[in-house]
Amino acid sequence: MRLTDYQVAEYILGRCTARGAPLSNLYLQTALVAVQDWCKQGGEPQLIWLQKESVKGCFFRFPGVYYKYCGFGANPIHISVFPTSLQLTPRQKAALDYIADKAAEMAYSGQFPYRWQEIPLSPILPG
């Protein structure tokens, strides 16, 4: 099953909200780029299907997701529903959970994502 960037964003936001560490739009974008990079490097190109308006090189590489949540401004995005209907393999779920947790760590330590490669993927890439 291919997921849209909206579904992946909702999963990440749901996990972070449930753990008491909701993300702002900036950190959500960082997490989505990390998921995209993991898919390419980890042999999971079928996991995420990017919406047509996604633009490489734009600071917000997922503008559709950005605009969906832009009403929150720079504040954390709280969503009340955790998506449980996604059909993820254990490996995919572990990777999404890891990326969501790392994005939350960055947000709450005050580490501003100057580069998209701020989330280290080596722990979840094949060895």
Side-chain angles (χ1 to χ4, degrees):
M1 172 184 184
R2 288 187 124 174
L3 303 177
T4 66
D5 43 4
Y6 295 105
Q7 290 171 308
V8 173
E10 189 174 74
Y11 181 90
I12 290 170
L13 290 172
R15 177 170 175 85
C16 290
T17 300
R19 295 182 55 126
L23 298 178
S24 69
N25 215 336
L26 176 65
Y27 291 97
L28 174 60
Q29 291 286 314
T30 300
L32 289 173
V33 171
V35 171
Q36 183 183 42
D37 289 347
W38 175 77
C39 289
K40 289 178 186 173
Q41 296 175 36
E44 293 276 350
Q46 74 283 1
L47 175 62
I48 186 171
W49 177 78
L50 304 179
Q51 300 296 327
K52 291 181 182 176
E53 74 267 17
S54 296
V55 179
K56 187 173 183 169
C58 177
F59 186 71
F60 294 109
R61 206 184 293 182
F62 300 90
V65 171
Y66 169 76
Y67 289 117
K68 179 177 180 177
Y69 296 107
C70 70
F72 287 89
N75 295 318
I77 302 166
H78 297 268
I79 65 170
S80 58
V81 178
F82 186 76
T84 57
S85 63
L86 299 181
Q87 297 175 354
L88 300 171
T89 66
R91 181 176 180 258
Q92 292 167 342
K93 183 180 181 325
L96 291 181
D97 290 350
Y98 168 83
I99 290 169
D101 293 348
K102 288 296 179 183
E105 282 178 28
M106 284 174 55
Y108 287 89
S109 69
Q111 180 182 357
F112 186 80
Y114 291 105
R115 306 184 310 276
W116 292 119
Q117 293 75 28
E118 294 286 345
I119 296 178
L121 298 178
S122 55
I124 55 173
L125 289 175

